[in-house]
Amino acid sequence: MINKPRGTEDILPSDSPLWQKIEAAAREVCDTFGYREIRTPVFEDTALFQRGVGDTTDVVQKEMYTFEDKGGRSITLRPEGTASLARSFIENSLYADPQPTKLYYLISCYRYEKPQSGRLREFHQFGIECFGGTADATDAEVITLALSFFEKLGVTGLKLNVNSIGCPVCKQEYNQILREYFRQHQEKLCETCHTRLEKNPMRIIDCKSEICSAIAQDAPKMIDHLCPDCKEHLDKTLRYLDSVGVDYIIDPSIVRGLDYYTRTVFEITSDQLGAQSTVCGGGRYNGLVEELGGKPTEGIGFAIGLERLIMIMKSQGLDQEIPQSRPDIFIAAIGDDADVTAQTLVYQLRKMGCRAERDLCNRSIKAQMKYANKLNAAYSMVLGDDEITNQKAELKNMADGTSKPVSLTAEEIFQNIQ
Ligand code: ATP
Ligand code: MG
């Protein structure tokens, strides 16, 4: 037997209603906030992620699914959505539309990680990106969209953690201060962080190794070294959040895993997720579009891990009230003529938008009725020779056991089961 690859999951029909509910909530919230869906390829040129995610990140250094295709190109399965969206924004000249360009996506992502609870190799994200929004209010719009989505689903107990990691100017000065700090602990840092120390010391703060993160605890904080413009941007963002009554925690330790972030970064966490507590990560990435060959363009967005969201929803019992689809009517049949009539009626009823079902396993009549019960059909009907001759049958209400005669036309059946 061939099993699914390590770190992947089948989403079974019993879970589909929950996924569909989440996807519908995402689409509705995005619609009210004016974000439109974009779909980009599952795989991209490897260079896109090396440049767009950053080659000092865990994602690029350790986690990418990269292979050579038959044409000798280096291809990577997308580990995230933002770089692809920025590429598409440039390639399709979306910047020529009235700005900002507000996009959302519902995608699968691929990262070669050690599979564990809340950490898969194939997982799903709902995310948004706003390109070209220059006003300070953009950050608050993006954050409140994420919160509105969780609220719509009834998810509670989440924490919003906000930080600013500055702009290239203040970041550079801060990196120097940080480098000096980490140099004092250089021998203890992991191998990856040795390279990070010179190239991008801020990455060390995000390192998953216990020793590195313990050292990072006491490292100088970016938030204490922001330039006046970045400080003002952060203050304004917080003021907008205050104005709509959003609770947040300022968490100087958030630097986010990806290289392209500037200024606002945020995470939404839940204590129902164990070690993988972050359900949503986002922030501003003013340098990204330019890095990928476009004109300097402001950008901000977030991504929500749907498997982690589902873990939270299940632990809060939010998967319970979702109705599973059930047939409106089950038409059972004995004999060839009845069987053909059952087939015709089911077909016609389905065309009318009615969930009509019949047996497809050559069951006995008794077994057909048992099956109708299992399917939780609202109504049922048995067709035999007499019913075909008289063109009439008993329509049974499965909930209260009552029945009434109806003629064998889809219209009459349809009217009587509404
Ligand atoms: P983590 O610190 O948990 O590795 P990350 O910073 O790598 O997260 P992002 O790149 O910001 O994650 O992705 C956004 C969201 O996608 C995360 O907050 C999480 O909910 C989800 N996510 C990321 N990696 C995985 C994974 N391997 N399996 C399941 N969900 C994931
Ligand atoms: Mg990660």
Side-chain angles (χ1 to χ4, degrees):
M1 205 195 120
I2 299 168
N3 294 317
K4 60 181 158 43
R6 198 165 133 73
T8 66
E9 263 172 14
D10 296 313
I11 297 167
L12 298 174
S14 52
D15 263 347
S16 294
L18 182 54
W19 280 86
Q20 286 165 2
K21 182 179 170 158
I22 289 169
E23 286 158 6
R27 292 181 195 290
E28 279 166 33
V29 173
C30 284
D31 190 43
T32 53
F33 278 74
Y35 286 71
R36 296 195 297 162
E37 186 177 10
I38 183 164
R39 302 188 191 197
T40 60
V42 168
F43 59 86
E44 297 269 4
D45 191 325
T46 300
L48 175 68
F49 302 115
Q50 283 168 341
R51 280 170 59 188
V53 178
D55 49 17
T56 56
T57 58
D58 269 357
V59 170
V60 171
Q61 289 197 331
K62 303 178 187 164
E63 300 169 1
M64 292 214 296
Y65 272 92
T66 300
F67 60 95
E68 199 172 278
D69 74 2
K70 289 190 184 1
R73 304 168 192 90
S74 182
I75 295 291
T76 296
L77 302 185
R78 63 177 169 220
E80 53 109 53
T82 306
S84 303
L85 262 63
R87 176 201 53 69
S88 184
F89 173 79
I90 302 165
E91 193 167 348
N92 298 293
S93 315
L94 300 184
Y95 48 79
D97 297 340
Q99 293 297 288
T101 299
K102 308 210 283 189
L103 306 168
Y104 80 89
Y105 57 85
L106 282 158
I107 58 170
S108 56
C109 299
Y110 303 85
R111 295 186 193 178
Y112 196 79
E113 301 208 62
K114 191 165 158 247
Q116 52 199 289
S117 167
R119 201 175 283 292
L120 292 154
R121 291 184 174 173
E122 181 187 62
F123 62 99
H124 297 79
Q125 285 185 342
F126 156 48
I128 71 160
E129 311 292 351
C130 179
F131 293 105
T134 51
D136 292 317
T138 317
D139 304 48
E141 170 171 300
V142 167
I143 294 172
T144 51
L145 194 160
L147 297 173
S148 302
F149 167 68
F150 292 120
E151 200 178 304
K152 199 174 189 75
L153 290 169
V155 175
T156 52
L158 298 177
K159 286 198 189 84
L160 167 64
N161 307 283
V162 186
N163 189 23
S164 172
I165 56 168
C167 63
V169 178
C170 47
K171 224 180 194 176
Q172 205 177 352
E173 282 175 27
Y174 168 68
N175 274 341
Q176 204 42 48
I177 297 168
L178 206 53
R179 219 171 261 129
E180 277 158 28
Y181 170 80
F182 282 122
R183 274 204 192 110
Q184 297 165 18
H185 305 274
Q186 195 162 357
E187 335 71 71
K188 290 186 230 142
L189 296 175
C190 77
E191 215 170 294
T192 325
C193 284
H194 272 126
T195 355
R196 286 171 172 155
L197 185 58
E198 293 315 315
K199 280 175 92 176
N200 195 348
M202 221 190 254
R203 287 276 73 77
I204 303 175
I205 298 178
D206 210 34
C207 183
K208 297 273 189 303
S209 127
E210 263 177 44
I211 298 171
C212 298
S213 48
I215 297 170
Q217 286 269 317
D218 299 324
K221 310 284 185 240
M222 180 73 235
I223 201 162
D224 300 324
H225 298 270
L226 294 174
C227 67
D229 283 356
C230 288
K231 178 84 179 76
E232 191 191 336
H233 179 76
L234 176 64
D235 290 344
K236 275 195 174 160
T237 301
L238 299 179
R239 197 171 140 207
Y240 287 119
L241 294 177
D242 289 334
S243 78
V244 289
V246 166
D247 285 332
Y248 54 81
I249 301 155
I250 296 172
D251 179 352
S253 72
I254 303 178
V255 296
R256 306 288 308 126
L258 315 180
D259 266 355
Y260 47 60
Y261 286 98
T262 52
R263 292 194 166 173
T264 310
V265 285
F266 63 97
E267 290 184 348
I268 298 173
T269 56
S270 162
D271 48 23
Q272 273 153 332
L273 282 175
Q276 274 62 250
S277 62
T278 309
V279 64
C280 172
R284 197 168 253 293
Y285 43 83
N286 289 351
L288 177 63
V289 172
E290 197 179 2
E291 173 67 33
L292 295 176
K295 292 208 183 81
T297 308
E298 313 249 322
I300 177 164
F302 66 73
I304 292 171
L306 297 187
E307 282 81 1
R308 291 189 194 173
L309 171 60
I310 282 179
M311 287 167 68
I312 300 172
M313 288 183 74
K314 287 189 170 172
S315 73
Q316 295 184 356
L318 296 169
D319 56 329
Q320 296 303 320
E321 300 123 48
I322 305 169
Q324 296 272 341
S325 178
R326 65 172 194 158
D328 297 312
I329 182 167
F330 186 93
I331 304 185
I334 334 164
D336 286 350
D337 290 345
D339 186 73
V340 172
T341 305
Q343 179 57 28
T344 314
L345 288 173
V346 161
Y347 173 75
Q348 291 170 340
L349 284 163
R350 285 172 175 168
K351 283 228 290 198
M352 296 164 92
C354 171
R355 288 186 218 95
E357 199 50 89
R358 53 153 299 159
D359 168 55
L360 289 177
C361 291
N362 296 316
R363 289 180 173 84
S364 70
I365 194 68
K366 206 175 141 199
Q368 287 185 46
M369 293 317 291
K370 225 170 140 181
Y371 177 50
N373 263 318
K374 275 227 172 87
L375 293 178
N376 196 22
Y379 288 86
S380 71
M381 174 180 273
V382 179
L383 303 182
D385 292 343
D386 286 352
E387 282 78 12
I388 301 304
T389 314
N390 302 327
Q391 286 296 299
K392 271 203 169 317
E394 289 293 317
L395 180 67
K396 185 175 168 191
N397 180 325
M398 301 286 275
D400 60 17
T402 58
S403 59
K404 68 170 170 184
V406 292
S407 64
L408 290 189
T409 64
E411 289 74 18
E412 187 160 336
I413 296 170
F414 188 71
Q415 273 166 22
N416 280 285
I417 61 177
Q418 292 311 301

